[in-house]
Amino acid sequence: MNLITLYKKYREVISYLFFGVATTLVNWVIYAVTIKIWPGRLTLCNTLAWLGAVIFAYVVNKVIVFQSKESSFKAVLRELALFFGTRGITGLVEIFLPVLLYRLGMDQQILGIEGFLSKVIVSILIIVSNFFFGKFLVFKK
């Protein structure tokens, strides 16, 4: 099996992972810029970074990853609501689950970072969850 065949077979997953990295970079850049503008306003800057990243992720997931052809106002509004809703849910899981896992004993260090194992496990869960939410709920064919 050559690379083109593999890409065609796994195009959604490959593009989802690629644009997931890009979404993370968007988040970091917005955070870096806004924290320079409003030093010490971590909650505000994190919120703006999350919002910008989710908007970016919605666009690339709709257009490139899942190639949604929905264009009516009602359909796009539905997609937006579901996308932001599911990202909001997984965002809360990403905030609180590592703390719970850490308190339940998953406090092992990775690369010298305390509790990083719980963060890594939750990140994997969030990535997989967001993919399935996008594919089977938000942008379902």
Side-chain angles (χ1 to χ4, degrees), residues 76-87:
V76 170
L77 195 58
R78 178 197 158 280
E79 285 179 348
L80 272 169
L82 286 170
F83 195 82
F84 270 83
T86 57
R87 291 296 169 111

Side-chain angles (χ1 to χ4, degrees), residues 20-32 48-49 51-54 56-57:
V21 170
T23 298
T24 301
L25 292 175
V26 166
N27 185 304
W28 291 353
V29 167
I30 293 172
Y31 179 80
L48 293 173
L51 186 60
V54 171
F56 175 80

